[in-house]
Structures are given as C-alpha cells and as structure tokens.
C-alpha cells in the first residue's frame, strides 16, 4: 500500500510503514529563482550608497511563500496543486521516480488553488474559494460563484457529480468577511447543471465528503464553532489609552529586568519576565486553535488505542444506502476510502488502517492530511 499525504507543507510517501519525502521540483525552483532575483537586486537597497541615495530597504531574507495544497492520483502519476507567491499551479509527479522532471499542467497569476480530485482526466479543484474544473492541458471552467466558499472537492465514485464542503460568508460594513456559516455538503451535477445540498445542520460542520461504489457516503462531522463577537468600535476607542499604558509599562518592566535585574512589579522574580512562546502542541488547523496536548491526554485517558491530537467530537461518519449512520472513528483529521471498504485515516499523530476487525497502526505521521492511496 502506497500512501501519499501532505504534512508541514511537504509531500510524503508511506510504503509498508516506511516514510520518505517527495520533494517538489517546482517549489525548489521557485524558491531558488526568487532568492537569486533578490540577491541580484540587493546592491540597490543596501550599503552606504543606498543609504545616501535614500533607497535603503530591508534585506531580502524574508520567507518565500510556497504552499502545497492538494494531491490526487490520476492513474499514471501523482498530481498536486501548489501556491507560489501569487501564482497557483498544478503539476504531475512520478512518486516512484521523484527525481524525474515534473509535468506542467497549469499555472496562473492570482489563482489560489486548494485541494483537488481527479476522475477521467478532469481535475475538480477549489480555485479562489470556488469550484473549478481543469483538464490535463490546463484549460479550466469556473463552476460556482457567489458569496460562499467551497473546499475539499471529491468526484463521486458512482456518477459525474462532485461533492464539496461549502459555507456562506457574512460580511461587515466594509465588505470584508466577518464570519462563516456552518459548513454543509453540496453535490454539483455537471450533466444536469444542478446543485443539491446533501447534509446540513446549524450545529455542525460537515467536511471532506466522499462516497464509494457500493452507495455508502462518508464525511467528517464536528461541532460548529460560533464566531466570537468583536468589541464595537466605540469600546476599542475607549480602551485605546489603557492598552497604550499597559504596553508602555510592559516595555519598561522588561527594560528594568534586562538591565537592572529587578522587576518593576512587586512580587515578580527576575526569571518571571520572559518571551512567551506558543507550545508546538498548540496548532492552527482549518482556522481553529487545536489544543493538541490537551486533546492527546484526554484521548489517552478515554482508552483510545492510538490517541491523536484531535478532539473526539470530530468524527468520521458513514451513511449506508438505507440511511443508517455509523461513526467509524473519532478524533479524525483526514481519511481516504479504499476499494475494499476499509479506511486509511490520520489522527494528527499516526496513519491508521481501519477495517471491520479494528484499527491497525501503519506509521507515525505528524499532521498527515490530503491522504491519497496510489493504485487502489
């Protein structure tokens, strides 16, 4: 079994429990090109001459933005989507010969291409927040639009429909997105030219839809998080002087500890003033703060065989053709359905194989998502 997934903005292959990285030729080329351009222009913005001419600027050591967003198996190779600065792209890679040249399918400026799914030479992709269809020559057609955002497209295993997760956008008085509605699951029928809402509940988000050839439907369900109300503008204005004073006192206190060895605040020891770093077990995923360490401890205490870092309220659900609902796994990050009906899934710490007889650990894999099983 060859499992491909994305983790930490990199592509990995897991074969018989052994994990290797599949480097992105396009990402490496883009990074080296941008770095070379910056080096060639650096003389214009550094040194005494640039200061005299007033053209001095920060060095070009800032990070180069690259984001690998989706992967899919087209039967002959691995296709992946990537964001290179303001340019979106789709490329094909040979997972068995990662050093071989990659095949270009599409690149476009101001195109943000997210997760993808492939069937019969057609790529369903979330592009600029909406559903689009690409062919293998890079031609594309936008399918959805409006004040909503679509994600996680998946071709139906039974027909020409495309499933995706969708949410409405609430905007503030300036027209900027202020909140998103609970995510529902929508089916787009390309032949009929219609859209249908399949699953929706104001209490839950429905994510990562898929189905199999036996008529079973799958999705991840998690409680909807109600957006926190922001302070009204008048309150921010009133609190502004207070926040300035707190910031100034914090600076003076840190200055006192650094150079005088003593805090300005009574009862505070020298070692109490320090940089507050967020734990590497507190992660952001799908716009939410994931309390990884807390969840892992709670999952272990509740008897999970392979405790992960996602809350058990995030569940993988299977809906049978007769409507029967079965929770296959709790605390799921992502999953893929195999042709035999078994499941490969991630809990943020491990890759697991779920069958009727239980679950088996495949390999340790941190934050494995966009799972794709080759040749299944």
């Amino acid at each position: 079994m060859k499992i491909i997934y994305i983790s930490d903005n990199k592509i990995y292959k897991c074969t018989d429990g052994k994990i290797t990285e599949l480097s992105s030729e396009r990402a490496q080329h883009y990074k080296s090109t941008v770095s070379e351009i910056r080096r060639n222009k650096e003389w214009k913005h550094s040194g005494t001459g640039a200061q005299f001419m007033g053209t001095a600027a920060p060095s070009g050591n800032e990070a180069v933005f690259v984001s690998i967003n989706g992967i899919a198996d087209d039967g002959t190779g691995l296709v992946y989507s990537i964001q290179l600065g303001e340019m979106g792209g789709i490329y094909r890679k040979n997972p068995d010969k990662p050093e071989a040249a990659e095949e270009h399918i599409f690149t476009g400026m101001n195109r943000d291409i997210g997760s993808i799914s492939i069937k019969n030479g057609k790529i369903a992709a979330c592009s600029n927040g909406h559903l689009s269809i690409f062919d293998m020559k890079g031609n594309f057609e936008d399918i959805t639009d409006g004040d909503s955002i679509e994600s996680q497209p998946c071709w139906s295993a039974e027909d020409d429909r495309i499933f995706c997760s969708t949410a409405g956008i609430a905007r503030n008085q300036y027209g900027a997105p202020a909140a998103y509605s609970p995510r529902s699951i929508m089916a787009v029928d390309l032949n009929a030219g219609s859209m249908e809402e399949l699953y929706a509940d104001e209490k839950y988000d429905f994510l990562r839809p898929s189905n199999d050839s036996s008529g079973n439907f799958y999705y991840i369900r998690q409680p909807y998080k109600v957006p926190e109300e922001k302070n009204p503008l008048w309150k921010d204005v009133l609190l502004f002087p207070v926040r300035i004073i707190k910031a100034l006192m914090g600076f003076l206190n840190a200055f006192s500890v650094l150079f005088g060895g003593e805090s300005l605040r009574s009862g505070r020891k020298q070692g109490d003033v320090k940089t507050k770093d967020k734990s590497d077990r507190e992660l952001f995923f799908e716009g939410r703060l994931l309390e990884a360490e807390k969840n892992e401890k709670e999952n272990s205490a509740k008897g999970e065989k392979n405790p992960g870092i996602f809350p058990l309220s995030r569940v993988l659900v299977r809906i049978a053709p007769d409507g029967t609902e079965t929770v296959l796994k709790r605390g799921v990050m992502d999953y893929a359905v195999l042709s035999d009906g078994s499941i490969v899934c991630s809990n943020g710490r491990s890759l697991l194989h779920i069958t009727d007889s239980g679950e088996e650990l495949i390999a340790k894999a941190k934050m494995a998502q966009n799972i794709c099983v080759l040749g299944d």
Side-chain angles (χ1 to χ4, degrees):
M1 184 188 305
K2 294 180 182 179
I3 304 169
I4 310 295
Y5 64 90
I6 298 173
S7 175
D8 194 26
N9 208 22
K10 298 176 182 178
I11 304 174
Y12 291 92
K13 179 174 70 171
C14 177
T15 306
D16 298 328
K18 182 180 179 181
I19 296 176
T20 55
E21 181 183 347
L22 299 177
S23 61
S24 165
E25 175 192 355
R26 184 50 47 185
Q28 293 179 346
H29 181 266
Y30 177 76
K31 289 178 180 179
S32 61
T33 300
V34 172
S35 297
E36 182 65 23
I37 292 173
R38 288 177 176 176
R39 283 193 298 269
N40 291 338
K41 291 183 177 180
E42 191 172 4
W43 66 271
K44 299 180 181 180
H45 306 287
S46 62
T48 56
Q51 294 177 0
F52 177 78
M53 296 296 294
T55 59
S59 64
N61 293 327
E62 59 270 20
V64 179
F65 179 76
V66 172
S67 177
I68 299 175
N69 299 325
I71 51 177
D73 178 14
D74 72 344
T76 60
L78 175 70
V79 175
Y80 71 94
S81 59
I82 189 170
Q83 196 69 24
L84 306 166
E86 298 181 356
M87 180 174 61
I90 303 176
Y91 297 87
R92 178 188 281 112
K93 184 178 188 65
N94 187 336
D96 296 322
K97 297 180 180 179
E99 70 283 356
E102 297 178 355
E103 179 183 342
H104 168 263
I105 296 176
F106 171 83
T107 51
M109 290 298 297
N110 300 316
R111 273 278 163 179
D112 184 0
I113 302 177
S115 52
I116 59 175
S117 177
I118 300 178
K119 183 178 180 180
N120 297 331
K122 294 182 179 180
I123 304 171
C126 284
S127 174
N128 292 353
H130 293 293
L131 184 64
S132 301
I133 305 296
F134 292 78
D135 64 21
M136 290 301 177
K137 295 181 180 179
N139 303 307
F140 69 92
E141 178 184 4
D142 295 328
I143 304 299
T144 62
D145 56 14
D147 226 10
S148 63
I149 182 169
E150 282 75 57
S151 62
Q152 303 156 1
C154 180
W155 284 100
S156 170
E158 298 181 297
D159 47 42
D160 287 333
R161 291 181 300 167
I162 302 172
F163 308 120
C164 65
S165 182
T166 182
I169 302 175
R171 299 185 181 276
N172 60 22
Q173 66 267 35
Y174 307 107
Y180 296 93
S181 70
R183 290 187 173 273
S184 60
I185 291 177
M186 176 176 68
V188 178
D189 191 328
L190 298 179
N191 293 331
S194 63
M195 301 180 188
E196 178 187 6
E197 186 178 71
L198 299 182
Y199 299 96
D201 190 318
E202 62 181 11
K203 297 180 181 179
Y204 296 98
D205 282 323
F206 293 87
L207 310 166
R208 304 179 186 273
S210 67
N211 69 344
D212 61 29
S213 56
S214 299
N216 297 299
F217 199 89
Y218 304 82
Y219 55 73
I220 290 177
R221 184 181 66 209
Q222 67 180 9
Y224 172 65
K225 184 178 181 181
V226 179
E228 297 181 2
E229 291 189 13
K230 296 183 178 180
N231 291 333
L233 181 60
W234 65 265
K235 189 172 182 180
D236 286 335
V237 172
L238 290 177
L239 291 175
F240 183 74
V242 177
R243 291 168 178 162
I244 287 292
I245 294 173
K246 288 176 67 176
L248 180 61
M249 290 302 297
F251 172 77
L252 293 176
N253 187 66
F255 185 86
S256 176
V257 171
L258 182 62
F259 294 99
E262 185 176 354
S263 173
L264 294 177
R265 301 173 184 175
S266 60
R268 185 71 69 90
K269 296 180 181 179
Q270 177 180 348
D272 289 341
V273 179
K274 58 184 179 181
T275 302
K276 184 178 180 181
D277 294 326
K278 186 176 293 294
S279 168
D280 61 355
R281 294 197 172 191
E282 293 179 345
L283 308 168
F284 274 96
F285 180 71
E286 293 180 345
R288 295 188 180 191
L289 176 63
L290 179 64
E291 298 179 292
E293 183 176 12
K294 175 184 176 182
N295 292 336
E296 191 170 18
K297 289 181 179 179
E298 290 181 352
N299 295 345
S300 179
K302 291 179 180 179
E304 284 290 300
K305 180 180 178 182
N306 297 288
I309 62 176
F310 282 79
L312 298 183
S313 58
R314 182 179 166 105
V315 298
L316 173 59
V317 177
R318 179 181 64 202
I319 306 295
D322 63 0
T324 302
E325 176 183 306
T326 304
V327 174
L328 300 176
K329 177 66 179 175
R330 298 182 181 274
V332 174
M333 179 182 186
D334 199 0
Y335 72 99
V337 181
L338 276 63
S339 57
D340 62 1
S342 64
I343 305 289
V344 171
C345 73
S346 163
N347 62 8
R349 284 285 180 260
S350 307
L351 285 172
L352 306 171
H353 187 202
I354 299 176
T355 63
D356 292 337
S357 58
E359 68 179 55
E360 176 186 357
L361 175 65
I362 298 174
K364 293 292 184 180
K366 180 180 178 182
M367 298 297 287
Q369 55 185 306
N370 285 270
I371 298 172
C372 173
V373 180
L374 298 181
D376 177 61

